[in-house]
Amino acid sequence: MSTKKEAAPELETLATKHGTYKTTLTAKYRNRTPWHARDPRQVFSFIPGTITTVDVKPGDSVKEGDVLLTFKAMKMHNTYRSPIAGRVTKVHVAEGDVVPKGVLLLEFE
């Protein structure tokens, strides 16, 4: 039986929105692709579903929080609200369209 003491792992700093921590980080974590926020002028589907209503058209001006469209997913009706105030330039979907996750739904100027 060995009495040799193993060296403690080196701790690294991990900053989150809830604070800064000292921890061990895996190689997978260190080599990950960092997350970047998407352009707020583009609205993407966050889950697959069927578009039930499109409440805006190109040229419409909207305020932050206005309803853009609704869709049915997982037996629920979900509402997309405008992330910004602006003018709608393109609507890429229509009522009845079935869209997968990650599809560009509409754009602002």
Side-chain angles (χ1 to χ4, degrees):
M1 188 158 158
S2 173
T3 59
K4 186 176 179 181
K5 197 172 190 180
E6 291 186 32
E10 184 178 331
L11 297 178
E12 299 178 57
T13 302
L14 175 65
T16 71
K17 69 179 183 178
H18 300 292
T20 303
Y21 306 93
K22 290 286 192 178
T23 187
T24 56
L25 300 175
T26 64
K28 181 179 178 181
Y29 179 83
R30 280 194 294 283
N31 296 326
R32 78 196 186 289
T33 302
W35 178 83
H36 296 287
R38 288 188 168 172
D39 184 344
R41 295 172 297 170
Q42 297 179 323
V43 177
F44 291 86
S45 58
F46 58 88
I47 58 174
T50 303
I51 305 298
T52 56
T53 63
V54 178
D55 299 296
V56 295
K57 61 186 180 308
D60 286 354
S61 291
V62 297
K63 297 179 290 200
E64 183 176 343
D66 284 354
V67 174
L68 301 172
L69 56 88
T70 57
F71 71 104
K72 186 175 182 178
M74 302 185 326
K75 299 181 182 178
M76 296 185 305
H77 289 274
N78 301 276
T79 302
Y80 276 90
R81 295 188 176 273
S82 181
I84 60 173
R87 184 177 308 275
V88 176
T89 57
K90 293 182 184 176
V91 177
H92 298 280
V93 293
E95 291 180 14
D97 286 356
V98 177
V99 296
K101 178 181 176 181
V103 168
L104 180 60
L105 303 172
L106 58 88
E107 298 177 74
F108 296 96
E109 54 179 40

